[in-house]
Amino acid sequence: MRGCRKCHKPIPKARLKALPNTRECVGCSSVERNYVRTIISGKTTYSEVEVIKNKDTKEYLRNLDSKGRQGFGSMLYRASKNEPSPKSSSLSLGTRVARKKPEYSQANFEKVLGEAMDWLDHDKNYAIEKIEKAHKEETISGIQRRRALEILEVFKPTPKVIEKKVEQVHVDEEILHAFKNWKH
């Protein structure tokens, strides 16, 4: 086992196996670390390893992975049968925990719709804002949002703008010719 040329601590065997010519441990290495993650490559649990070298992409994926997102072709596959999920006591302080999926209820939908309907006769735009705010705060789902907006439209339709047709008046050719050739 070789020692690090900077700190003189032994270099781990796994690092020497991956990089046989290395002379530095991970902590002393001046080379920027690549981001390695496993990805789902099909509909089964088969996964592949992906190495990310671009700095911006690494940061973006690190943020997504820390949110606990997973799924076909999208993120780090953490549900591997070989890899047990980490216990809450073993999580470091900097690790983000996956947020709870919102639960949309009919009661919440009816409450938001009722508030919007109360404002409909006075200020339709404010009624729409109430629905949009509830959707943004995940009180109602996207489908419930669309339904609520459709209901508002039924009770108070948006006035349609009627375009007035302008009648074209026939102008004599001699007059047109005179205007075209008029000099200042």
Side-chain angles (χ1 to χ4, degrees):
M1 190 177 252
R2 266 190 291 188
C4 174
R5 71 177 179 175
K6 290 184 179 177
C7 70
H8 306 292
K9 291 180 182 174
I11 300 173
K13 289 181 183 178
R15 181 166 171 81
L16 288 172
K17 186 176 180 181
L19 301 166
N21 297 328
T22 189
R23 295 182 185 186
E24 299 168 343
C25 66
V26 175
C28 296
S29 177
S30 60
V31 177
E32 188 175 333
R33 295 181 191 174
N34 291 327
Y35 186 60
V36 180
R37 68 185 191 134
T38 54
I39 57 170
I40 300 173
S41 58
K43 291 183 180 180
T44 64
T45 58
Y46 175 76
S47 61
E48 295 178 356
V49 175
E50 179 180 35
V51 178
I52 311 295
K53 294 182 179 183
N54 180 295
K55 185 178 180 180
D56 295 332
T57 306
K58 285 191 281 190
E59 186 61 33
Y60 173 75
L61 290 174
R62 219 177 260 122
N63 287 337
L64 285 179
D65 287 348
S66 67
K67 291 180 182 175
R69 296 177 66 177
Q70 51 183 278
F72 172 67
S74 65
M75 293 312 322
L76 180 66
Y77 185 68
R78 295 182 186 164
S80 172
K81 293 179 183 174
N82 302 334
E83 186 179 315
S85 60
K87 295 179 182 173
S88 60
S89 61
S90 67
L91 292 174
S92 67
L93 294 175
T95 304
R96 287 186 167 180
V97 179
R99 68 184 186 98
K100 187 178 176 186
K101 192 174 181 178
E103 295 178 20
Y104 305 113
S105 67
Q106 185 65 26
N108 285 345
F109 171 70
E110 289 171 2
K111 179 182 176 196
V112 170
L113 182 60
E115 290 173 4
M117 292 296 285
D118 289 342
W119 281 96
L120 187 58
D121 288 333
H122 306 290
D123 188 356
K124 183 177 180 182
N125 289 332
Y126 186 72
I128 291 171
E129 285 176 21
K130 288 197 98 30
I131 293 170
E132 295 295 349
K133 182 181 177 191
H135 177 253
K136 186 178 178 183
E137 293 174 351
E138 296 182 333
T139 306
I140 61 173
S141 70
I143 293 170
Q144 290 172 330
R145 173 190 161 272
R146 187 182 68 221
R147 274 193 210 137
L149 292 174
E150 288 172 353
I151 290 169
L152 291 184
E153 193 62 29
V154 167
F155 281 95
K156 189 167 186 177
T158 304
K160 294 184 180 182
V161 178
I162 301 171
E163 292 183 30
K164 294 182 180 179
K165 292 186 179 181
V166 178
E167 273 188 51
Q168 294 290 331
V169 178
H170 181 69
V171 179
D172 190 52
E173 289 295 324
E174 288 181 20
I175 296 173
L176 286 175
H177 182 69
F179 275 106
K180 285 181 187 175
N181 296 318
W182 187 343
K183 293 185 180 180
H184 301 286

